[in-house]
Every structure is written in structure tokens, then in C-alpha cells.
Amino acid sequence: MLPQPTAMLPAVMPWLDLAGLAVFAVSGALVAAKHRQTMVTLVFFALITGVGGGTLRDLLIDAPVFWVHDARVPLVCLIAAVAVWATPERWWRGSALDWFDAVGLAAYAVYGAAKASGYGITPIPAAMLGVVSACVGGIIRDVIAGEPSILMRPELYVTAAALSSTSYVILMQLGVPGAGPIAALAGFVLRGAAIRYRIALPAYPAKGWDRG
């Protein structure tokens, strides 16, 4: 019998998956809390942020949608929402949302690329699916909350996800031990530097478009 695709993932990958899910769920609940929403809304935002990118990834690679078959996923999202609801607001002020999102971004980008690779997706599309896994949940969160999408903010975001997923694919092709944690750390460091120092790629020059 052929091995199941998910069984071919490195042992550390499920932990990266849960870590990314948990922190994305927290970031979703924090957005709802910032808008002074109810507990039900916090749970909804935690779930949609945690599973959004992974759901699209699984549909694209023709895999069973992960959270439909794993009771731990909604439980983790529920716990994340309750934790945000039950803790003092001062714990989450400032850039807490950005930093939680950065951890989830890096972990999910690596796991998304790894899962796509496990399903036989070739390296370049696998790296791109890592970016999809990492970014789509946050985009959905921002759109539903009526906030400017993370894609439209100046500092690096998608680039950090791409660094994680691409690094993972390359390191795995080279047979480097610990490819998952190394790639996740690389993306987190880049995203963290972007948050701390407002690092951004050059914007497209208007070239007179703003004159109508």
C-alpha cells in the first residue's frame, strides 16, 4: 500500500501546523476584541483566520479539508478565543496582533509548502501554496472586519511568507536536517524586522496617474 501523503511529512510539521493555527486564531480573536464584539464573534474570527488559508490550500491540492476531519482544530480556535476574552486588554495592546500574526505566518507558510509537497506538488507551486496557506486567513479576517488588508500595508508580509515557504522547499531539496524550523525562523525574522523597522519594498511609481 502506498503511504498517505500526510504521513510523508517530517515529524515537526504537525507541530508547526498547530502553532500556526493557534496564533492565527488568536490574531483573529484580537481583531474582533478590538472592535468590541461578542464572544461568538471572537470564536468566528478565530476560526476563519485559523483555517482560511489551509482550507484554500487543501481544495487546490485535492486533499481532505483538514479542519473538517480533525476535531482539534475548532477546539484550538475556541481556546484561543476564550483566552483573548478572559485576559486583560492591556496584554494585547500595541503590536501584539502583528507579532502573533508573524509567528502564524512563518509556521503556516512552511506547513503549507510541506503539505503541498507531500501531495506530489512540484517545488515552485508548493512554495506558492505555502504563501496561500499563510496569507489568505489574515486577508479574510481583515476584509470581514472592514480593516485595510495586510496586503495593502507598506511593510513586508507576503515576502516573509514567501521566504519561509521557498526556504523550506529549497532546504528539503538539498536534504538539510531541520528544514522546517530553519525556514520558519527565517520568515519570522524577516517579518519581525519589517514590524520593528517598517521595512518595505519600493512602491510602484505613479508616473502621472495621480493627475487623472
Side-chain angles (χ1 to χ4, degrees), residues 105 150 153-161 190-195 198-202:
L105 183 81
I150 188 67
R153 299 176 200 173
E155 71 269 13
L156 301 178
Y157 189 81
V158 175
T159 305
L190 180 59
R191 178 62 185 142
I195 294 170
R198 299 295 176 184
I199 300 172
L201 295 174

Side-chain angles (χ1 to χ4, degrees), residues 81-181:
V82 171
V84 172
W85 180 271
T87 49
E89 181 184 0
R90 66 179 181 274
W91 288 16
W92 310 109
R93 287 177 183 167
S95 59
L97 172 60
D98 290 334
W99 285 102
F100 267 94
D101 195 73
V103 175
L105 183 81
Y108 242 32
V110 170
Y111 183 77
K115 186 169 185 180
S117 298
Y119 272 80
I121 305 300
T122 54
I124 293 177
M128 296 175 68
L129 283 165
V131 176
V132 168
S133 300
C135 296
V136 168
I139 294 170
I140 295 172
R141 174 198 66 207
D142 293 342
V143 169
I144 295 177
E147 297 198 346
S149 171
I150 188 67
L151 290 176
M152 304 303 291
R153 299 176 200 173
E155 71 269 13
L156 301 178
Y157 189 81
V158 175
T159 305
L163 176 62
S164 281
S165 62
T166 304
S167 297
Y168 172 77
V169 170
I170 292 173
L171 292 173
M172 283 298 294
Q173 292 290 314
L174 296 174
V176 176

